[in-house]
Amino acid sequence: MGNTIIIFDTAEELAHYFASLLTSLIRKTKPSGTFSWVLSGGNTPKFIFREIASELKDSIEWKRVRVFWGDERCVGPEDNDSNYKMAKENFLDQVNIPPANIFRICGEAAPAGEAERYSLQYSRNVKQVKGIPRCDLLMLGLGEDGHTASIFPPDVQLFSSDKLFETTLHPETKQRRITATGKIINNAKTVVMLATGESKAARVAQILGNPDGSERLPAARVRPEKGEVIWMLDRPASKKLKSKK
Ligand code: 6PG
């Protein structure tokens, strides 16, 4: 399936749309089933998490929702760099999601062993389709270098990994990371690619405008075989798109 591109005038509109999408996707799953949601890290999701915590606190059956992370920095859960800490403070602490439904990547653990442990935990707690876990919703961000999750250029080979999670290194900070691979990303039912701010405009235009020329960018490899990709952009991030609305 192709990309759907939605451009929002304000961050509030984007966050509100995301909350409505989450609500409708959860409602579409069977009432007795669980809903697996893979969270993204970085700063962009913060305002979305806050919107969900305030708007959906009482309207979502949180006991059906299981949250995972698409990547984590190899730091402890109290560290300000932790994607888990960011989600906990901006969202998870404000809703009645059972702690057992929060599947944290233990950034404080030895990276290689944690990537293996988490791969197993993920595969045991996400519905499988043809033997591969298929999450219901996967949030991804876009780095200015074209990375997504913690797959950084030129490591596009991670999109053909036979593992679910692998360890990577941030190219500048040399910070060790644990990241979902293409096996998770391209098996998701719905992927939301979030990009806001002018600093992302060039990459957005390159990836959406010139798929052939952006093959070496990890974010350009997000192409779930049987899933949909919804790009949610604010105006500044969309400014270099040719046929923007
Ligand atoms: C991370 C993220 C990463 C992020 C992008 C965008 O752990 O940092 O998973 O992929 O989504 O770098 O980050 P911003 O939202 O901070 O621009």
Side-chain angles (χ1 to χ4, degrees):
M1 290 167 91
N3 291 318
T4 303
I5 301 169
I6 310 175
I7 300 166
F8 300 89
D9 286 323
T10 65
E12 290 70 29
E13 281 174 11
L14 191 156
H16 183 71
Y17 185 92
F18 187 97
S20 320
L21 174 70
L22 176 67
T23 303
S24 69
L25 290 176
I26 292 174
R27 285 198 180 130
K28 276 185 202 153
T29 53
K30 57 182 194 301
S32 59
T34 56
F35 184 86
S36 50
W37 177 14
V38 180
L39 308 182
S40 64
N43 294 306
T44 304
K46 259 185 205 160
F47 70 92
I48 294 174
F49 290 158
R50 287 192 196 122
E51 172 79 6
I52 287 166
S54 65
E55 195 181 315
L56 304 184
K57 179 181 162 70
D58 303 318
S59 57
I60 295 272
E61 244 190 303
W62 291 107
K63 67 177 187 314
R64 290 181 50 208
V65 179
R66 292 178 178 174
V67 295
F68 304 85
W69 276 263
D71 69 322
E72 185 55 280
R73 293 81 180 273
C74 290
V75 294
E78 306 294 325
D79 191 300
N80 287 330
D81 244 13
S82 162
N83 288 334
Y84 162 79
K85 184 180 186 214
M86 186 275 278
K88 181 176 188 299
E89 288 176 348
N90 290 283
F91 153 46
L92 296 169
D93 281 351
Q94 279 96 49
V95 298
N96 288 327
I97 185 167
N101 288 21
I102 299 172
F103 296 88
R104 176 174 79 89
I105 299 176
C106 299
E108 69 278 20
E114 177 58 12
E116 267 180 52
R117 182 201 70 85
Y118 199 69
S119 295
L120 204 54
Q121 186 176 52
Y122 184 89
S123 62
R124 283 180 178 154
N125 290 281
V126 175
K127 289 184 288 293
Q128 307 247 342
V129 175
K130 296 199 177 98
I132 303 177
R134 180 175 166 80
C135 67
D136 293 297
L137 176 60
L138 173 73
M139 276 175 108
L140 288 172
L142 173 68
E144 290 176 34
D145 62 355
H147 79 256
T148 193
S150 281
I151 304 179
F152 301 94
D155 296 340
V156 288
Q157 75 283 356
L158 288 173
F159 273 87
S160 43
S161 170
D162 61 1
K163 294 179 181 158
L164 295 174
F165 287 84
E166 294 218 36
T167 65
T168 60
L169 212 56
H170 190 288
E172 272 116 47
T173 64
K174 304 303 177 203
Q175 183 184 55
R176 180 103 12 224
R177 304 276 186 100
I178 290 171
T179 187
T181 65
K183 194 163 186 175
I184 285 183
I185 294 170
N186 285 333
N187 277 294
K189 216 165 170 182
T190 301
V191 177
V192 169
M193 288 292 296
L194 294 164
T196 58
E198 193 159 349
S199 68
K200 310 288 173 78
R203 286 300 175 192
V204 165
Q206 183 185 9
I207 292 166
L208 292 177
N210 177 14
D212 298 341
S214 51
E215 271 304 287
R216 63 176 184 77
L217 301 179
R221 299 294 183 102
V222 177
R223 291 188 214 109
E225 287 126 52
K226 295 189 175 59
E228 66 166 333
V229 183
I230 305 171
W231 283 74
M232 291 191 188
L233 311 170
D234 66 0
R235 286 266 168 240
S238 69
K239 69 182 286 189
K240 292 185 174 161
L241 276 178
K242 287 201 174 52
S243 57
K244 70 180 177 182
K245 290 174 195 135

